[in-house]
Amino acid sequence: MAKSATDLMQEILFSTVLDSIVALKGASNGLPNLLVREVNSIHPNTTLADLPKDMQAAIAANVRSAFAKLLKEGYSVAPQGAEPRRASPAGAAPVHRPRGGGGERRPPRGGGQGPKRGPGGLGSKPPRPPRGG
């Protein structure tokens, strides 16, 4: 019986977290103060390059094995933005969808206008009047 996508992802993430912790311990060379310093240096804005080399290698190996495991279990792995392909039933003719000119087109959400950034945009304050005397 094939595993559900949720079970498979939980297994992959759990394994990755454990392997990363072991690699972090290894990077500290058994020195508790260094381990505490490494753990304290991890925060929400930490990038892969900020982590110790041993931990980077463990994460890279786990990502490779995760993709292999997903493919082995029958899940498709495609780059973001690629349209998912569904297997058609045996003997079914492919559906032809004409490009352009067909169907109703909807405008993007929010009228195509995102929040303004920069001066005078989202989260900015109006300029303060000059102090004068």
Side-chain angles (χ1 to χ4, degrees):
M1 182 171 124
K3 294 181 183 178
S4 72
T6 301
D7 291 341
L8 189 60
M9 286 307 298
Q10 284 177 348
E11 182 181 317
I12 289 169
L13 291 172
F14 184 72
S15 173
T16 301
V17 168
L18 287 180
D19 289 347
S20 298
I21 291 171
V22 169
L24 191 60
K25 283 182 173 181
S28 70
N29 297 321
L31 301 172
N33 289 343
L34 187 57
L35 177 61
V36 169
R37 187 177 301 146
E38 292 289 350
V39 169
N40 284 332
S41 70
I42 298 172
H43 52 83
N45 293 329
T46 301
T47 64
L48 185 64
D50 297 332
L51 300 173
K53 297 294 180 197
D54 293 348
M55 195 169 185
Q56 290 178 23
I59 291 171
N62 276 299
V63 168
R64 283 190 295 274
S65 69
F67 279 109
K69 187 178 273 192
L70 286 169
L71 292 171
K72 180 182 167 195
E73 292 287 332
Y75 293 97
S76 66
V77 180
Q80 190 171 0
E83 291 185 26
R85 296 184 181 179
R86 295 183 184 161
S88 59
V95 177
H96 175 70
R97 293 190 178 111
R99 298 210 180 239
E104 179 182 330
R105 295 184 55 94
R106 288 185 260 159
R109 289 185 190 174
Q113 304 256 343
K116 291 185 177 181
R117 307 264 184 221
L122 186 63
S124 65
K125 296 179 182 178
R128 291 176 36 176
R131 292 185 182 187

